[in-house]
Amino acid sequence: MWALRTEWEGIYVPDAEVAWARLEEGQIDAVVSDLNMPGRSGIELLKSVRESPRFKGLPFFLLTGNSEVMFRRVSLESGATEYLAKPCDFKELTARLRNAFVLKDLQDEIKAEKSDLEIRLADRNRDLERAQRELLFRLAKAAEARDVEVGNHIARVGVFSRMLAEEIGLEPGFQRRILLTSPLHDVGKIGIPDSILRKPGPLDPEERRLMETHTTIGGQILAGELPRVLTSLESDEPAADFEFIHTAARIAMSHHERWDGKGYPNGIGGEEIPVEARIVSVADVYDALRNARPYKGPVSREKTMQIISEGAGSQFDTKIVDAFKARIEELETMLEFMSDAQPEPVAQ
Ligand SMILES: [Fe+2]
Ligand SMILES: [Fe+2]
């Protein structure tokens, strides 16, 4: 017997095969099935219903004259909503069906609410990510405004770093984080005095030491804890996991470390250096060499490749130098495409 909810209409079918065909046509709100039927049994029909995601949560009542405990257990274990002994009291069956419908309505409501919440949560996460990206980029621009490395340097380092991250097989989400956070590698230069940052000649040892602190300053800006007065304004929600900011902090802190441990600020080496910082280190040097700076001209492609290749295993991670060599054509294309050359002003 089948019950259609709206009119409580019962549809009688002779066996499990016809029942299944009728179920697939749709519009069935509950199944009341005999345990023993010609062909497939009620238990088999029940199992098919429970295995089909399409009929998830469909109330399924099993009826039988056999009141043995074993049948009761098997039917409930197979996912029967209820197990009723024959002869079945019609009023009792109707009452149980009504309960099952109320329960199903509630489950459907919860499901709808859950998916609505999931959509809203996904929207909120997207907004949060956008806000993080926006803030990081504006912070990079603020640092760039004080730096002598003007032009598209920071944007190019982002694009080059992503290419290298892709070449060494980092997952796409991580590649994206590297693209968006590597422009912040020198954010700590905000804290370096102009007299050092803009000094035309070579730096003396003390000035060099101060200049090197742009790594730790950058790391502290990005990884530092918020002042208590700000955190106390937050709600009780657990702290969000700001993966973008953590990645940016690791890059700012470690992009001048060397594979052989002779870099700064911490003298860490090999895989102790976060992979994102090892990548930015190659991308940053490549861009610095290939472009003119106030104190030097651009280095040729061949000479740049030679310098970076010679740094493999000492200054740089060999794996990333290999990635650099494998992608050199694309790197050069992007270098050209994102060059700092300004178009000539149009004559009036
Ligand atoms: Fe730097
Ligand atoms: Fe740089």
Side-chain angles (χ1 to χ4, degrees):
M1 183 182 86
W2 312 85
L4 280 179
R5 182 183 310 205
T6 42
E7 304 92 354
W8 288 81
E9 180 193 351
I11 303 167
Y12 295 87
V13 292
D15 58 33
E17 299 310 323
V18 184
W20 183 254
R22 183 63 191 83
L23 267 170
E24 288 202 306
E25 281 173 29
Q27 295 287 311
I28 298 295
D29 289 314
V31 179
V32 182
S33 168
D34 238 328
L35 184 65
N36 297 311
M37 294 186 286
R40 288 161 73 197
S41 72
I43 292 277
E44 285 170 304
L45 176 64
L46 170 61
K47 281 182 179 164
S48 303
V49 166
R50 290 297 177 243
E51 278 164 14
S52 166
R54 209 180 135 195
F55 303 125
K56 200 163 182 267
L58 183 76
F60 195 114
F61 291 78
L62 264 177
L63 294 179
T64 184
N66 194 331
S67 60
E68 275 184 39
V69 175
M70 196 187 77
F71 284 107
R72 180 179 290 266
R73 210 194 65 222
V74 169
S75 64
L76 292 177
E77 278 176 1
S78 304
T81 310
E82 298 255 13
Y83 172 95
L84 299 171
K86 285 203 289 194
C88 177
D89 176 62
F90 187 72
K91 277 192 180 156
E92 184 188 343
L93 178 61
T94 311
R96 285 179 188 270
L97 276 170
R98 186 174 290 121
N99 287 345
F101 289 151
V102 169
L103 198 64
K104 176 129 195 322
D105 282 347
L106 273 175
Q107 283 169 343
D108 288 347
E109 248 172 64
I110 291 170
K111 218 189 306 171
E113 212 161 290
K114 192 172 153 236
S115 65
D116 184 47
L117 269 177
E118 279 167 354
I119 290 167
R120 275 162 44 202
L121 193 66
D123 283 350
R124 194 164 164 244
N125 282 344
R126 245 194 315 276
D127 287 348
L128 269 176
E129 196 199 295
R130 207 174 297 139
Q132 279 192 60
R133 256 184 359 228
E134 185 87 3
L135 278 172
L136 289 177
F137 189 72
R138 307 225 169 254
L139 188 56
K141 291 301 274 183
E144 195 190 39
R146 292 213 52 230
D147 203 346
V148 287
E149 292 179 330
V150 287
N152 288 331
H153 169 71
I154 61 166
R156 283 194 302 265
V157 168
V159 170
F160 300 159
S161 298
R162 183 198 199 143
M163 252 187 237
L164 300 179
E166 184 184 51
E167 186 63 29
I168 64 165
L170 298 186
E171 52 106 4
F174 196 7
Q175 290 173 28
R176 225 170 97 71
R177 279 208 305 281
I178 291 175
L179 166 77
L180 296 169
T181 57
S182 50
L184 280 160
H185 61 278
D186 277 339
V187 70
K189 285 186 179 169
I190 285 177
I192 305 298
D194 268 352
S195 58
I196 296 176
L197 212 52
R198 296 177 185 280
K199 185 174 174 181
L203 301 178
D204 68 33
E206 177 55 16
E207 289 167 337
R208 178 154 295 282
R209 194 197 61 76
L210 264 172
M211 182 65 151
E212 290 180 358
T213 61
H214 79 273
T215 50
T216 44
I217 295 172
Q220 281 159 8
I221 289 173
L222 293 161
E225 285 182 11
L226 286 177
R228 191 180 280 270
V229 66
L230 288 182
T231 51
S232 67
L233 297 176
E234 289 175 4
S235 66
D236 292 336
E237 286 175 38
D241 184 12
F242 295 121
E243 246 331 297
F244 273 96
I245 292 176
H246 294 318
T247 305
R250 286 191 289 267
I251 290 173
M253 180 65 111
S254 302
H255 69 284
H256 288 290
E257 298 289 2
R258 290 171 52 110
W259 184 257
D260 59 12
K262 294 180 183 164
Y264 61 88
N266 295 314
I268 52 174
E271 293 192 348
E272 267 185 296
I273 309 165
V275 65
E276 53 270 55
R278 279 180 265 146
I279 287 173
V280 172
S281 158
V282 173
D284 191 28
V285 169
Y286 167 66
D287 194 67
L289 287 171
R290 291 291 283 126
N291 285 282
R293 296 282 161 87
Y295 49 89
K296 71 162 195 66
V299 176
S300 72
R301 168 178 166 167
E302 290 67 33
K303 183 73 187 157
T304 301
M305 284 200 73
Q306 189 197 333
I307 294 170
I308 291 181
S309 299
E310 282 172 4
S314 51
Q315 184 172 358
F316 307 119
D317 178 352
T318 306
K319 183 173 64 180
I320 293 162
V321 172
D322 288 344
F324 162 76
K325 289 194 278 192
R327 301 293 284 265
I328 188 64
E329 291 303 331
E330 282 166 80
L331 288 164
E332 286 287 314
T333 305
M334 287 314 289
L335 183 78
E336 175 75 32
F337 183 71
M338 298 176 75
S339 78
D340 299 328
Q342 296 298 313
E344 290 291 317
V346 179
Q348 294 292 315

